[in-house]
Every structure is written in structure tokens, then in C-alpha cells.
Amino acid sequence: MTSEPVLAVSSLVKRFGDVTAVDGVGFELMPGASLGIVGESGSGKTTTARILAGLDAPTSGTVLLDGEPVTGRSRRARLRRARLLQMIFQDPYGSFDPRQSIAASIAEPMRLHLPGTAADRRARVAELLDQVGLSERAGASLPRDLSGGQRQRAAIARALGIRPRVLVLDEAVAALDVSIQAQILTLLDGLRRDTGIAYVFVSHDLAVVRHITDTAVVMRHGRIVERGDTERILREPRHPYTRLLLDSIPVPGWDLDRVARDRRALDPSS
Amino acid sequence: MTVQDKKTAADTATRADALGIAGLGLAIGSGEDAVPLLDGVTVRVGRGETVGLVGESGSGKSLTARSALGMFPRGARATGSVTVGGVDVLAAGRAALRDLRRTRASMIFQDPRAAINPVRRVGDYLTEGLRARGVPSREAAATALDLLEQVGIRDPRGALRRHPHEFSGGMLQRVVIAGALSTGPELLLADEPTTALDVTTQAEVIGLLKGMQRTRGTGMLFVTHDLDLAAAICDRVYVMYAGRIVEEAAGTALFSAPAHPYTKALLEASPSVHGDRTEIRAIRGRPRSLAEAPSGCAFRDRCPLADDDCAVAVPAVRAHGTSAVACVRPEEVTR
Amino acid sequence: MTLTIPALRARAARRRRRRPLGVTLAVAFLLVAAVTGALAPLLAPHSPNATSLLDSLAPPGTAGHLLGTDSTGRDVLSRLMYGARLSLLAPLGVVLLSGILGTAAGLLAARAGGWVDAVLSRAMDIVFSFPSLLLAMLVVAVFGPGLTAPICALAVSYTPFLGRVVRSVALQEGARPYMESYRAMGFGELWTTVRHLLPNMTPVLLAQSALSFGYAMVDLASLSYLGLGVRPPAADWGSMISQAQSAILQGSPWSGLIPGLAVLLTVVSVNVLGEHIGGSIARRGEGT
């Protein structure tokens, strides 16, 4: 393993008309590391993830994958980016072609990115299904016949198929039941340990981010307001917004007055 | 309403409650093809009390809340009893149900945008219920203005003239809460009212909801999948699994001493920001609905403590510590 | 063998739900029309063009002429069978051609967006506002009678019907997360459009084409009726109606009513089928 970051983002800006969705975001991700991007709606966390995956083009700023910039929409650039970085979406049902079996969906990116015969792909699909804890029968099903948790496992299998170095997970467990969410988080933990893949974990949920990441950035209004080790951020938040986020999490004996105080501290005008 | 005169002494106690659901069963269809949805659900919400109803998908928590308004899925048959402020919901006719929904019980849904007609002004939305009750429009407008002020909408006079799309999700949920409280109900049914909102907005809306409820003495049934949220704001919490209540406990006791293996498993599966970082423990399998659940205890196929006793019958609810639990061996859970 | 009566009944109910009687009848009628048209030389009792002035205007049920004869004594049944060929194939040609054009235009407009979308959409609006029958008549006036020119003209004027539907469905379907997920996997626009978007749109395309088929059939029959379609003596249902005009005035409406009925039943059948397909899509949408 090199000591070079596998993903390096600097001065990322994205404007939609007059609105600046992402404003000077930068971070680095080492191979096998896990970085959380925490924020609420409108924080720019999802736009950042979409830029990483090439779904939106940044207005300015650079994204380096494995030390080389990814730019442009040419076929070569597109393939190189996808080869190194894959994305998992919040809605696992929507992210599959409803007419295609799970196994066929998992095999499809391999056809694009990897050499090999149909038999090779079948073997790899079987291996992947096993790796994410899906049965062969689940592989033969259509997306609508699987439960939410199974679909998210399938989405992970599909993303892992071409052995990317980075996985961007955009609210990947937010739509799942608590008991299923725990299964997926456990699966993700294991995969990172076994394969050395790196995660960019985008979420509004600090508890989940605490579990799955080593370091994190907190975003608000398109900017990073705090960054550091995830544990440190939770124990000694430095930015008033991080404090507000933490105090907003319900807990027995929840102090709503303190939340109101945090809000005034953050934005004295309101 | 002559039926009510013949109520027994036992029912007088429940009449004081904002909501009394006893032994509620719900099934679609009949005979062998019947699909069961709820079984023996008993929930009580006292006046001014906040009661949580927690469960994962398929648990039947929303169905239970809707039953308080007499809103059942098409073709469903209900057994047992549901009373709101003493009114028998299951026996109520169309007119009585309408009256109940208009005056005694209001509901707040997860998505405020789906709950408000997008082409009508907020003022129309707020005064509609009042005017349907015969309140003169001028008076209704004044009430609406007052309500918007109370839920913390800036420039309430201007807000009355605006359309739903001009509000953020959090602000719109405030408007919905104002609408729900406009008729002065005894019971507020809140079905995941903050799930679609940001965490910081959730805290605001919860603060508002609790404050309004406290000053008005409204009973609230708070439906959520979020155990932490329920424990944080509810006096008592019911935990549902596969169409049945599996545990009833005081909000704080839920965390310190879960009595049902499912409750405990949920807690162990949820990552937390508080305390030391602990490993989460996943529950195997997936949440079941009543129709798919195994015989006996519905949780037994996922439960680490289950053995043959659990398959015999649906465990009866019994007291354990300060909780009531439907498990044959709660001692092993709290151990 | 182990099926219980309720299970059988439930299964029968499912089958009924899947295919209502009207749809079965429609499919049956269309099959019969297509088969008799295809096998007309084998099945037809007479040559479609054999005239016999002695036998003219025989009513249906006459010995040797099951559906009677027209004013020149040609066998109506035989002409109906031969006529099915052109009467079904020509609208099919219109539907296929407009299907290709409309799908291409709609997909291109939806996926390219921007000025491409603007130009294509306005072009489709212009064609849409031009009466299809008038366009076909103009084309015939320029190129002379025959079926090829009107088929092409109708295909062009029907393109916006499908093009607009395809565009809006493609926009809707293209916004579904799975299309994005394929982009994130590194697939290009062409691949995702052809391999994923198009197959997911086929039910809509089929339903819309069925509707166009009905319109095309009526329009082509109208052209034949006006003497601008097939060249006599070749039979198609529209020209049969047209040639029956004088017979109708003489009090023998059969030779016109029978092909008229064939047109009516075909259009109704195709529409019933189209609506059924469209309905199944809507139900499938609810299910997800």
C-alpha cells in the first residue's frame, strides 16, 4: 500500500445558477480509510458525493483519484473514474433496472470494465453474492422480489464487482429498518477490513457516521465547518453547528432548551 | 349515543382517556384467505399524556394509530374496541366518525407536503376545519392567525396568503401542527411527524409539539421507528412487532431495562453517539408482518433466547419490573 | 390434483383479472382477421376480382356467396379476406414507421435536452397541428395514388403522437435513480438509453402504437374511400365501402356494411388491446 491518498479533493465549488451548493470543499482519503461527510439537507453533502461519482461536474476545483485528476466527460475519463470509484445510493430499489435479475445487474459493470468471459463473470457474481450474504436464489430474482436490506446488499455487490478503490455511500442505510441497518453496517465493516476498500460515507446520522468512519467533515451551507477524527468531533465539538447537531439527537432526558441555546449561539439574529 | 349510557363501571375509567384501544384485531378478507394485520393490540393514552408507539416496517404501528380515527385499509375487519374520548370508534357511523375527526382527534403525517392541498393557500387549509364546524369565517381567520403565531411562523398574516410550496418542510410541518390543533382535539395522532425533517429541525418541531400539547392538555400518540426519539419524549412507550404489542414501558425504563428480547436487540443494533463507542450487534433476518410471522412468539425466528417453549403459543403480556412484556422469559433479557 | 376448490377459484379469479373477456375477444378477432388475410388464396371461395353481373348485389346467405356480392357481382367474403391484407398491413406499416421515428425523436429530445429538445419538440408540435388526412391527400396529389405515399405521409404525421409520449416517459424514467446508478458505474448515455431505458418503456410504446393503429386504419380507409388509396381492382376494406355507395342507394347496403363492420371491429379490438396494455402498466406502477 502506498501512502498516497487514493482520493484527494481540493477547493471544490459547485454553483447552480446563483446558488452555491458546494463552496471550497477539500479533503483527502487514504487507501482503506473511511471518511464521513455529515450534514443536513442543503449542506452540499450529496452534491459533493455526486461530483465524486461524476454525476455532476464541479464549477471549479479538482478531484484526484490515485494521484491523477479526473476531468472531462470523455469515455476514457468516465471509465477510469468508475473503475476506481463506485457509488451506493440511498434507495436500493430505485438503483436497479426493474426488468433485470439481480445477478445480471451485478454482472453488467464487469462487462464494461473487466476482460473475461461470461463464465468468468458468472463465477465472480456467485463469489460476490456470497460475500454480501445473498443466496443464489436472491441473485436470480428481480429487484422487486427482494427486501430493502437484500437490495442494498445487492447494490454493494454490484459496486464491488470491479474492485474499485473507493466506495461513495450516499445515505446508504438511511432508508432501512434499524435491525437491517445494523446488518448492512456490519457487512460494510467486514468488507473494508477484508478488501482494503476506502469509504466516503455521506450521512445526516451522526451515530451511524461514528460507527462506520475514522475521520469526518461536517458541512453546512456548502462549506466544511469542522473536520477531524470522528470520535474527537463527537466528544469535543468545536464549531457551534456541530454542537447543535449533537444536541439535536434525542436521548433520554433530552434538553430542548439547550438545543435552542445552541441555535442562538450559532445564529444570534434568530 | 344511547349505547353509551349502558356502559359499565370499567368503561367509565377509559372514558377519561384520550384513547383506549383494547384487544384490537384487524384482518383483510375472511375465512382461510384472511390476511391478519393486527392481533390483540392494547394501547392507552391518558389526557395530556405522550405515548410512543415504536416499531419497524410491518409492525402495524401506523395501522394502530389510524384505527383511532376509524381509518382502516379497504376490506379490513376490526375486532376489539377503540374509544376516543369515550366515543366508540368501531361502532360509529359515518356522521359520528366525521364529527370525531373534526373535533376530537387530529392526525399529523410524515410528509407535510402530502397532507396539504398544494393549490390552496395556507389560510384556507387552516380555516377549513373550523368553518366546517360552523365557525364564522372572520373568527376562523383570527384563530388561524393566532395558531400560526403560536407555532412560531414569522409574519403569520402574510403566511395565511401563501401557498404550501413557499414553505420549507419544517415550516410546513408547523403549519400542519397548527391545523391539527385548530379544532382543540383531545387526541393528537402523530405518525412519524419528524422523520422527513433534518435533525435540527426535528428538535425544533418536537419542542413545539410538546409545548403545545402541554399547555392544551392534549393526549398524543407518537408513532415512530426511532427508539431514541420515543424514549426521549414519551411518558410511556409501546414496542410493536409483527402486528402485536411486545412491550410496554416507561420511556426511560426502555433504555435502562429493556424487558423484551426484541427491544433489547433493537437497542444493541442502533449505533449511538453517546457514551463509549460500542460494537453494534445486528439482528438476523428481517422484520416480519403478522401474516408472515411464525406461530407462537412472532420474534422467535430472530431471537437469540428462543427455544421450543416460544413456539407453543403467543406469549401473554405480563408484568416484569416496571414494564409489561409479552415474553416467556424476560428474566433472561434483563439479566 | 391437490388443489382445493378455493385455491382453484382464486387461480381462476387471477386469470380473469389478468385477461378480461373483451381483451380475449379482441385478440381472437385480430388473429382471425390476420390469418384469413394471410391465407386468403387458400380460404377464399372465389377470386376477389371475378365479376359476374348476373349475380350482382346478392344478399348475404345466398348459396355460394356467404356474405353476398357487390354491384359488379364480386364475392364480398373473398374480397373481405383479400382486403384484410392491405387493410391490416398498411396501418401496421404506418405504426412501425411512426414508431421508429417517434421513439427516436422522443428519446433524442429527452436525453439530449437543451436546444435539441427545443427544436425537436417544436417540430413535433408543427407536424401535430397539421391534419394527417390532409397531409396524406397532398402527398397523393403529388406522387399519385398507391399506398406507399400515404403510408409515409401518415407515418410522419403520427410521429408526434408517439414522440411526445416517448419524450415525457423517457424524462420520467430517465430521472429514476437506476439510470443515474448506471452513469455512476461508468456507462455511457447510449448504453443506458438502449439497454435500460428503452426496454422499460416498451409497454408504453406498445399501448400507444395500438392506439395509432386504430387511427391509421380509419385514415387509410378514408383515403381508399376517397379513391386515393389502393388502386382498383385491388381490394381493401375502405375501397369496398366506397364502391358500395351506389348499391346502398339501390337498397342493398350489405356490400358496404360488412367491410365497414370489419373496420369498426378491428379498430375497437386494437383499442381494447391498447387500453388493456396501458392499464397493466398503470397497475404495475402502483405495485412498485
Side-chain angles (χ1 to χ4, degrees):
Chain A
M1 284 285 147
T2 57
S3 57
E4 289 286 300
V6 64
L7 172 69
V9 176
S10 57
S11 321
L12 211 58
V13 174
K14 176 68 183 178
R15 289 194 193 90
F16 295 102
D18 297 337
V19 184
T20 305
V22 176
D23 195 357
V25 164
F27 52 80
E28 287 185 351
L29 182 70
M30 298 307 279
S34 178
L35 170 87
I37 302 185
V38 182
E40 297 186 286
S41 50
S43 63
K45 64 183 193 302
T46 291
T47 308
T48 305
R50 289 175 57 86
I51 292 172
L52 294 182
L55 295 173
D56 280 325
T59 308
S60 65
T62 54
V63 177
L64 298 180
L65 269 173
D66 225 5
E68 274 181 57
V70 282
T71 42
R73 295 207 158 204
S74 71
R75 184 180 154 81
R76 221 183 128 261
R78 204 176 65 215
L79 287 179
R80 176 166 177 272
R81 180 202 297 266
R83 185 77 184 75
L84 289 167
L85 179 148
Q86 287 281 310
M87 182 158 172
I88 303 280
F89 296 82
Q90 172 172 359
D91 171 17
Y93 181 56
S95 62
F96 282 96
D97 183 336
R99 300 166 48 92
Q100 220 174 22
S101 78
I102 292 297
S105 286
I106 295 175
E108 205 172 339
M110 297 178 209
R111 285 174 63 178
L112 180 69
H113 291 282
L114 301 179
T117 63
D120 296 340
R121 285 196 292 272
R122 257 198 307 280
R124 176 84 176 120
V125 168
E127 184 188 321
L128 285 162
L129 285 172
D130 184 56
Q131 203 173 3
V132 299
L134 285 177
S135 67
E136 221 169 288
R137 212 173 111 223
S141 330
L142 289 176
R144 65 160 177 266
D145 297 322
L146 298 189
S147 68
Q150 286 176 308
R151 287 176 198 143
Q152 202 58 295
R153 288 174 190 270
I156 292 168
R158 181 174 61 175
L160 292 179
I162 57 171
R163 298 191 177 87
R165 308 274 310 277
V166 180
L167 202 55
V168 176
L169 301 111
D170 185 12
E171 297 281 10
V173 297
L176 303 174
D177 277 314
V178 176
S179 63
I180 303 300
Q181 173 179 303
Q183 294 172 359
I184 300 295
L185 289 175
T186 312
L187 171 69
L188 288 170
D189 276 344
L191 287 173
R192 182 157 76 103
R193 211 172 35 238
D194 298 344
T195 64
I197 194 171
Y199 294 151
V200 176
F201 197 93
V202 179
S203 177
H204 72 282
D205 190 333
L206 278 167
V208 171
V209 167
R210 180 189 192 191
H211 179 86
I212 201 85
T213 68
D214 317 321
T215 57
V217 297
V218 179
M219 284 185 72
R220 180 171 191 245
H221 300 332
R223 292 167 190 266
I224 293 178
V225 295
E226 179 152 5
R227 64 172 77 226
D229 289 347
T230 310
E231 280 302 307
R232 200 277 300 153
I233 292 178
L234 294 177
R235 282 167 190 278
E236 318 147 26
R238 288 175 192 153
H239 195 277
Y241 177 67
T242 316
R243 217 164 291 142
L244 171 66
L245 270 184
L246 274 167
D247 289 338
S248 296
I249 297 169
V251 58
W254 197 14
D255 188 354
L256 286 165
D257 295 335
R258 191 157 111 190
V259 180
R261 267 201 312 280
D262 290 340
R263 188 168 293 113
R264 278 195 298 278
L266 181 66
D267 188 5
S269 68
S270 71
Chain B
M1 296 286 138
T2 49
V3 191
Q4 283 190 7
D5 303 334
K6 296 178 190 165
K7 294 270 166 164
T8 57
D11 286 19
T12 340
T14 55
R15 198 177 300 177
D17 285 339
L19 171 68
I21 298 179
L24 178 67
L26 201 61
I28 291 184
S30 55
E32 278 179 43
D33 300 337
V35 178
L37 301 170
L38 296 177
D39 179 29
V41 172
T42 298
V43 170
R44 194 182 66 81
V45 180
R47 287 179 192 270
E49 194 184 19
T50 304
V51 173
L53 198 54
V54 181
E56 295 182 284
S57 38
S59 64
K61 54 191 192 300
S62 288
L63 281 175
T64 304
R66 280 158 183 259
S67 74
L69 294 177
M71 300 191 329
F72 297 107
R74 194 184 301 190
R77 285 179 318 111
T79 52
S81 84
V82 179
T83 54
V84 173
V87 177
D88 185 343
V89 175
L90 297 185
R94 270 168 185 273
L97 272 184
R98 202 160 53 224
D99 186 57
L100 173 91
R101 295 172 190 168
R102 228 174 241 170
T103 60
R104 288 173 182 272
S106 293
M107 189 146 186
I108 307 169
F109 297 92
Q110 174 173 347
D111 181 2
R113 295 208 189 273
I116 298 190
N117 183 345
V119 300
R120 303 280 304 275
R121 290 171 201 281
V122 160
D124 294 332
Y125 170 76
L126 288 175
T127 54
E128 210 168 22
L130 292 165
R131 286 166 60 192
R133 291 169 73 191
V135 177
S137 62
R138 190 179 296 269
E139 205 176 302
T143 310
L145 196 63
D146 185 38
L147 279 165
L148 283 181
E149 241 162 47
Q150 286 183 44
V151 296
I153 301 269
R154 282 182 213 171
D155 180 23
R157 201 169 291 276
L160 284 175
R161 312 169 125 291
R162 275 183 274 152
H163 286 93
H165 67 88
E166 295 171 71
F167 292 83
S168 68
M171 283 298 148
L172 205 58
Q173 195 63 299
R174 289 165 184 254
V175 171
V176 173
I177 290 170
L181 294 172
S182 68
T183 54
E186 297 155 44
L187 176 67
L188 197 59
L189 301 156
D191 189 355
E192 305 258 11
T194 56
T195 304
L197 306 177
D198 278 326
V199 269
T200 58
T201 317
Q202 161 170 294
E204 275 177 60
V205 170
I206 293 288
L208 169 77
L209 207 53
K210 287 290 283 178
M212 300 280 283
Q213 182 214 5
R214 203 173 300 133
T215 53
R216 288 157 179 260
T218 314
M220 176 156 74
L221 184 65
F222 194 92
V223 179
T224 180
H225 68 282
D226 188 338
L227 214 62
D228 300 69
L229 181 59
I233 65 165
C234 296
D235 304 318
R236 281 183 303 120
V237 176
Y238 293 93
V239 180
M240 283 191 85
Y241 185 79
R244 299 194 183 101
I245 304 277
V246 295
E247 178 168 359
E248 178 197 348
T252 42
L254 208 58
F255 271 85
S256 49
H260 195 280
Y262 176 60
T263 317
K264 192 181 183 195
L266 271 185
L267 288 170
E268 289 176 346
S270 325
S272 169
V273 287
H274 303 286
D276 287 331
R277 208 192 132 163
T278 48
E279 283 305 307
I280 56 171
R281 208 171 302 158
I283 313 175
R284 62 173 184 234
R286 65 182 173 85
R288 307 269 177 195
S289 62
L290 181 54
E292 312 168 299
S295 63
C297 175
F299 187 59
R300 72 183 162 89
D301 62 335
R302 306 176 72 193
C303 181
L305 301 176
D307 63 22
D308 297 345
D309 306 350
C310 304
V312 176
V314 178
V317 178
R318 57 179 172 135
H320 178 78
T322 55
S323 313
V325 59
C327 179
V328 293
R329 53 177 74 81
E331 315 74 41
E332 293 182 33
V333 179
T334 39
R335 196 182 41 183
Chain C
M1 290 297 120
T2 54
L3 283 174
T4 58
I5 289 169
L8 282 171
R9 205 175 284 153
R11 189 196 263 186
R14 265 201 306 279
R15 200 172 295 154
R16 264 201 301 282
R17 256 203 311 282
R18 211 177 295 148
R19 184 160 295 170
L21 182 66
V23 177
T24 313
L25 287 178
V27 171
F29 177 81
L30 291 174
L31 276 178
V32 168
V35 169
T36 49
L39 302 179
L42 298 176
L43 297 176
H46 299 276
S47 156
N49 301 326
T51 57
S52 162
L53 287 174
L54 287 177
D55 290 334
S56 70
L57 293 179
T62 309
H65 298 289
L66 198 58
L67 294 180
T69 57
D70 67 4
S71 53
T72 53
R74 293 177 294 194
D75 184 48
V76 171
L77 179 61
S78 304
R79 283 184 74 71
L80 201 63
M81 285 178 160
Y82 277 92
R85 300 175 149 192
L86 286 179
S87 300
L88 293 178
L89 280 180
L92 197 64
V94 173
V95 166
L96 286 180
L97 216 56
S98 71
I100 293 167
L101 288 174
T103 307
L107 279 181
L108 193 61
R111 303 297 287 165
W115 66 267
V116 179
D117 183 19
V119 169
L120 278 172
S121 294
R122 288 300 82 71
M124 286 198 279
D125 288 346
I126 292 168
V127 176
F128 191 72
S129 61
F130 204 88
S132 54
L133 208 52
L134 192 62
L135 184 69
M137 285 163 70
L138 284 174
V139 171
V140 173
V142 173
F143 294 100
L147 272 178
T148 323
I151 286 176
C152 294
L154 286 182
V156 168
S157 65
Y158 285 179
T159 297
F161 280 105
L162 198 65
R164 284 176 161 191
V165 174
V166 168
R167 179 178 169 275
S168 73
V169 175
L171 282 176
Q172 215 180 339
E173 196 73 21
R176 295 264 301 267
Y178 76 88
M179 293 296 288
E180 290 239 293
S181 79
Y182 280 100
R183 281 174 62 201
M185 281 184 267
F187 289 102
E189 288 293 306
L190 193 64
W191 175 283
T192 48
T193 304
V194 174
R195 294 262 317 180
H196 297 288
L197 186 62
L198 203 53
N200 278 295
M201 287 173 53
T202 35
V204 183
L205 295 181
L206 281 178
Q208 192 63 26
S209 302
L211 290 179
S212 298
F213 184 93
Y215 286 119
M217 178 138 209
V218 172
D219 275 358
L220 285 165
S222 311
L223 279 178
S224 292
Y225 177 81
L226 293 170
L228 300 172
V230 293
R231 258 172 290 195
D236 89 322
W237 297 343
S239 60
M240 284 173 74
I241 302 171
S242 159
Q243 286 151 15
Q245 275 183 90
S246 55
I248 292 170
L249 294 176
Q250 289 165 33
S252 304
W254 309 113
S255 55
L257 278 185
I258 288 166
L261 196 64
V263 172
L264 181 79
L265 285 178
T266 311
V267 172
V268 169
S269 297
V270 170
N271 275 301
V272 165
L273 203 59
E275 201 159 292
H276 177 68
I277 297 171
S280 342
I281 303 164
R283 276 195 296 281
R284 201 188 62 164
E286 278 165 26
T288 58

